[in-house]
Amino acid sequence: MIQDWFNSLASREKVLVVLAGALTILALLVIGVIRPLASSHEMATRALTDKRAVLSDIERVAGRFGPNAGTSAAQASPSGESLVVLIDRTTRSGGLGAYLRRNEPDGNSTIRLRFEDAPFDELITWLVDLQTTQGISVISATTDPGQEPGRVNASLQLSRATAR
């Protein structure tokens, strides 16, 4: 029946029907196969990029808190710098100098600090850096919320490990 209809067409009409059929098949391939494959490839590429970023963050944190973090701090040689000078230098370089209100030595290896309205994330990063690079640990810490979200008022007591 369709073949009879096709054979009854003029040669020019037959060419148009064949071209229209080919274009329809091509459109169905693009819509049904190629676009979904390209979309899933794009989603997989985005997911891979996101997972690489997470892995990079995990590796960075693991480097600070991993099993080798404690041994590197314990094996670090003392800088010879007084605790007051070290705290002053590192708070300034860590962007916390403007928030430090009190810097009170308590003996040779202990110091009391008071930060007001300091950015919490920067304060924690600074403390972790002090511990991992200088062998300075937190003896006590009290914090209260600051004036804005993400800010704290903190009283800290830090101690440098003495050489054994």
Side-chain angles (χ1 to χ4, degrees):
M1 178 160 210
I2 293 178
Q3 189 174 14
D4 292 336
W5 170 79
F6 186 75
N7 288 333
S8 69
L9 295 175
S11 63
R12 192 183 248 181
E13 292 172 335
K14 287 180 184 179
V15 169
L16 286 175
V17 168
V18 169
L19 283 176
L23 287 175
T24 301
I25 291 172
L26 181 65
L28 289 174
L29 279 173
V30 167
I31 291 170
V33 177
I34 295 172
R35 284 178 84 188
L37 283 176
S39 176
S40 66
H41 179 267
E42 183 179 317
M43 286 178 11
T45 302
R46 267 189 263 141
L48 180 63
T49 302
D50 292 345
K51 289 180 182 185
R52 283 182 177 161
V54 168
L55 179 61
S56 173
D57 289 345
I58 289 171
E59 288 173 342
R60 181 179 48 81
V61 170
R64 285 187 167 175
F65 298 107
N68 296 332
T71 57
S72 66
Q75 294 171 353
S77 62
S79 63
E81 204 171 27
S82 78
L83 197 52
V84 173
V85 172
L86 175 70
I87 295 300
D88 184 61
R89 180 178 54 80
T90 58
T91 54
R92 290 177 193 273
S93 67
L96 293 169
Y99 308 105
L100 182 62
R101 297 293 180 245
R102 191 175 72 220
N103 181 342
E104 182 180 309
D106 187 16
N108 290 332
S109 62
T110 306
I111 191 165
R112 295 178 190 276
L113 305 172
R114 175 70 182 170
F115 290 92
E116 292 184 6
D117 208 31
F120 179 77
D121 291 343
E122 291 176 29
L123 185 63
I124 296 301
T125 301
W126 174 73
L127 287 170
V128 169
D129 189 48
L130 275 180
Q131 183 177 5
T132 57
T133 62
Q134 301 294 330
I136 296 176
S137 56
V138 177
I139 302 298
S140 67
T142 57
T143 60
D144 299 313
Q147 295 177 0
E148 298 176 17
R151 301 214 175 235
V152 294
N153 299 321
S155 293
L156 306 171
Q157 184 178 6
L158 307 178
S159 176
R160 176 183 283 173
T162 56
R164 295 181 186 180

